[in-house]
Amino acid sequence: MSSVAPWLAVVGIGEDGRAGLSPAASAALDGAGLVIGGRRHLELAGPLSAETLAWPSPLSDAYPAILARRGQPTCVLATGDPFHYGVGAELARLVPAGEIVAYPQPSAFSLAAARLGWPLAEVACLTLHGRALERVIPHLQPGARLLVLSWDGSTPKKLAALMSERGFARSRLTVLEAMGGPRERRRTGLAATFSQDEIDPLNTIAVEVVAEPDARVIPLSPGLDDAWFESDGQLTKAEIRAVTLSALRPRAGQLLWDVGAGSGSIGIEWCLRHPANRAVAIEAREERAGRIRRNARALGVPDLQVVVGRAPDSLAGLPAPDTAFIGGGVSDPALVAAVLAALPRGGRLVANAVTLESEALLLRCHAEHGGTLRRLSIARAEPVGHLTGWRTAMPVTQWALAKP
């Protein structure tokens, strides 16, 4: 517990400015010697007698000035609820919670749900502010309702175009602009025909998802269709991929190393299991690294990190993994040793082998370290002339280990 009395007030402010502040929030604002916020926030809170500081770009450039005032009354202004995709969470990483007093107001999500009569607990709340548009893709599920914070006035049109391209053209988008103030406006249109112009940069998009029969919906289970991945043939096939994800046993917030990533399918599906999951795809070939990046964006995990280089040398300096996967070309005992060394106690390693040489290495690893071995064989029905027969894929030997 901090020995310093609360000195940093984090005040949520809406489009109604000072009129919407509680007496306690107004007192914290008026008693501060320094007020920090966006230019719009400072205007809404005016008139101010204190010293003011408009957020620089990046925001982190202002953190030293805030921390230098520790113990002196200081106020940070934010939009709505500062701890819901706001600056409050960042400040709480720098300043002990006992030194912060927060005065939140309704978030944009709360305001939008109230305007539309949507139960907020049943809505996916997302932000595209400073984030890639493709992050919305996994949430495009038939019948879903989304509330999305925009980056700027161009976001609604871009989102409508992305949804139309992916088979969600009949979805309804409602753009709620400058909620809570005199400039508030609401406009609605279908993704296919969305043509609203001059949208206020401060907007939230409400989406009612409607999927066409051929819409590309990201399933909740692993094993995406192989055709969804751009590939040069280096791809863990759907059935093997599903079993491999099961062997990796993803947990929320974990980091995966996908070593020898090929098309990136394992790392991508790892990230799709939970929005907090992260992955680093390590790939020796630049052209394959480019494919991984394109696949990650197309399948809704644009934040997947790609490292170009040959392992194990390229592993140096990477954040330590919770779990690791080594693909079917594993042949270097030094690589297995390096990955094992990087894992924490209890961290999982899964390796797949398709060649006899790779299988022999996994047999030795199993003899030395333990774990489990299994052989996976898949056959698919394919045309044989005018008839149909089974075509068996190369069997895969899989070794899985929880590091002791």
Side-chain angles (χ1 to χ4, degrees), residues 153-161 164 169 171-177 186-199 203-206:
S154 70
T155 304
K157 271 191 175 180
K158 292 176 180 176
L159 179 58
S164 296
S171 299
R172 184 174 298 277
L173 277 66
T174 299
V175 182
L176 302 108
E177 306 169 60
R186 182 196 311 182
R187 291 183 282 177
T188 300
L190 298 181
T193 57
F194 192 88
S195 59
Q196 308 295 347
D197 292 316
E198 298 181 0
I199 295 173
N203 73 84
T204 300
I205 312 165

Side-chain angles (χ1 to χ4, degrees), residues 149-308:
L149 301 182
S150 284
W151 174 239
D152 58 23
S154 70
T155 304
K157 271 191 175 180
K158 292 176 180 176
L159 179 58
L162 180 144
M163 295 180 66
S164 296
E165 291 167 3
R166 297 186 66 88
F168 300 91
R170 293 189 296 119
S171 299
R172 184 174 298 277
L173 277 66
T174 299
V175 182
L176 302 108
E177 306 169 60
M179 288 183 290
R183 299 183 297 110
E184 180 168 339
R185 180 169 59 172
R186 182 196 311 182
R187 291 183 282 177
T188 300
L190 298 181
T193 57
F194 192 88
S195 59
Q196 308 295 347
D197 292 316
E198 298 181 0
I199 295 173
D200 192 283
L202 185 66
N203 73 84
T204 300
I205 312 165
V207 182
E208 299 169 87
V209 181
V210 177
E212 303 290 346
D214 60 347
R216 184 163 288 193
V217 179
I218 302 294
L220 301 182
S221 61
L224 296 180
D225 191 327
D226 292 343
W228 287 14
F229 294 91
E230 181 185 343
S231 171
D232 63 356
Q234 292 298 311
L235 173 71
T236 302
K237 301 302 187 288
E239 299 88 351
I240 303 300
R241 195 181 328 122
V243 175
T244 299
L245 264 293
S246 175
L248 288 167
R249 300 180 187 175
R251 298 178 183 178
Q254 288 190 322
L255 172 66
L256 171 77
W257 279 3
D258 182 2
V259 184
S263 301
S265 62
I266 295 293
I268 289 169
E269 293 230 34
W270 170 275
C271 292
L272 286 171
R273 301 283 66 79
H274 193 277
N277 282 7
R278 298 161 294 138
V280 180
I282 299 101
E283 173 53 52
R285 301 186 185 182
E286 181 62 59
E287 68 274 14
R288 286 181 180 166
R291 288 192 190 96
I292 294 170
R293 294 186 185 98
R294 293 192 293 273
N295 284 331
R297 294 189 75 87
L299 293 168
V301 289
D303 296 326
L304 182 141
Q305 181 183 353
V306 181
V307 172
V308 181

